[in-house]
């Protein structure tokens, strides 16, 4: 087996660098292993694109959800099989697949796991794996990326939420899906290919990476206190019980707004409104635990 490890040494506050080296040492007992250290988001995508043409049995993302996002952005999905070493802060997509956080156990999945196919979301044609958001959600994501890199896991999202909330105001959007057009005032909308983001927030309970649909969680206009009160329950998927929370499922959603709203997914900026979010035409081949 030939395995390529694409490493983002900055992921996990530097943890990815040492753990990738440990993984390579472990994998070399049974496979041919090459490590390529990348220094930018663009280099990650370019390296993944190049590797797709080289016949590797596994092209492995070594980092968190952000690293994974850029690797998948570059992959030729018709040729590449993705592997994941979850070495970042959140690792939500790896959690959905059941990939262990332990480096050694994740390596065992790479060597003996089962190749499955999953859906990918797209936002104006750009791929994403997990959850795309606009409104309060995307402002929190930007704050987390720019100002909260000293934290890890769910603490990043909690801290950023508390910093952004006091100055936030609801946004006007127009949503169109399944031939229906609606004007609404929202706090935010999260559109999930998977059910979780932000280090474990189960924002779209029931979202399934195999069903060919996206699950939109719409948080309609409410007070800041109501939003803050609902937040803890989102870690258990219990926020849907509030009357200002609505869930929709469809193959395609379109959003527009009087002001340009940023769309973030997997912790990365994808595009701005107007935006079309849909399930992409191509499937992702990825190695998951055998028992999945």
């Amino acid at each position: 087996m030939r395995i390529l490890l694409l490493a983002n040494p900055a992921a996990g506050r530097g943890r990815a660098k040492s753990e990738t080296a440990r993984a390579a040492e472990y994998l070399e007992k049974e496979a041919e292993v090459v490590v390529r250290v990348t220094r930018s988001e663009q280099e990650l995508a370019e390296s993944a694109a190049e590797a797709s043409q080289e016949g590797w049995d596994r092209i492995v993302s070594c980092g968190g959800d952000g690293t994974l996002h850029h690797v998948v952005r570059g992959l030729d999905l018709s040729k590449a099989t993705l592997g994941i070493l979850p070495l970042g802060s959140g690792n939500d997509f790896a959690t959905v697949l059941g990939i262990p956080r332990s480096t050694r156990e994740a390596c065992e999945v790479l060597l003996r796991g089962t190749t499955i196919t999953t859906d990918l979301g797209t936002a104006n044609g750009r791929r994403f794996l997990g959850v795309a958001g606009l409104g309060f959600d995307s402002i929190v994501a930007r704050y987390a990326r720019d100002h909260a890199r000293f934290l890890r896991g769910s603490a990043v999202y909690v801290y950023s939420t508390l910093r952004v909330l006091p100055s936030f105001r609801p946004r006007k959007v127009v949503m169109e899906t399944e031939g229906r057009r609606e004007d609404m005032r929202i706090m935010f909308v999260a559109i999930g290919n998977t059910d979780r983001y932000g280090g474990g927030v189960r924002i779209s309970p029931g979202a399934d990476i195999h069903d060919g649909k996206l699950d939109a969680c719409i948080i309609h206009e409410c007070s800041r206190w109501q939003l803050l009160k609902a937040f803890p329950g989102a870690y258990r998927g219990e926020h849907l019980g509030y009357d200002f929370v609505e869930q929709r499922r469809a193959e395609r959603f379109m959003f527009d707004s009087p002001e340009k709203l940023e769309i973030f997914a997997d912790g990365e900026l994808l595009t701005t409104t107007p935006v079309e979010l849909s399930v992409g035409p191509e499937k992702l081949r990825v190695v998951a635990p055998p028992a999945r």
Side-chain angles (χ1 to χ4, degrees), residues 37 50-51 85 109 127 130 157 161 167 185 214 252 257 271:
V37 178
E50 180 181 342
L85 283 179
V109 172
R127 299 168 184 166
Y157 195 76
T161 294
S167 62
R185 288 177 62 85
L214 298 176
R252 173 180 168 273
S257 55
T271 186

Side-chain angles (χ1 to χ4, degrees), residues 94-135:
T95 299
V96 169
L97 295 179
I99 296 173
R101 285 179 177 262
S102 159
T103 298
R104 171 172 268 191
E105 291 178 10
C107 286
E108 283 295 316
V109 172
L110 291 175
L111 292 170
R112 277 168 267 283
T114 301
T115 300
I116 63 172
T117 60
T118 76
D119 296 334
L120 287 175
T122 63
N124 286 345
R126 184 166 179 177
R127 299 168 184 166
F128 68 91
L129 294 111
V131 179
L134 66 152

Side-chain angles (χ1 to χ4, degrees), residues 2-8 16 19-28 32-38 44 47 51 56 58-62 71 83-85 87 103 107 110:
R2 300 177 68 242
I3 299 175
L4 174 66
L5 304 181
L6 291 180
N8 174 7
E19 289 300 305
T20 299
R22 286 187 60 222
E25 183 177 355
Y26 185 80
L27 291 168
E28 282 170 350
E32 176 189 342
V33 181
V34 172
V35 178
R36 291 182 187 168
V37 178
T38 60
L44 270 171
S47 295
W56 298 95
R58 308 277 191 266
I59 298 174
V60 183
S61 172
C62 305
V71 169
I84 301 173
L85 283 179
L87 304 177
T103 298
C107 286
L110 291 175

Side-chain angles (χ1 to χ4, degrees), residues 123-124 126 261-264 268-276:
N124 286 345
R126 184 166 179 177
L261 301 180
E262 293 183 327
I263 315 299
F264 272 78
E268 305 297 320
L269 176 63
L270 298 190
T271 186
T272 61
T273 52
V275 60
E276 177 180 341

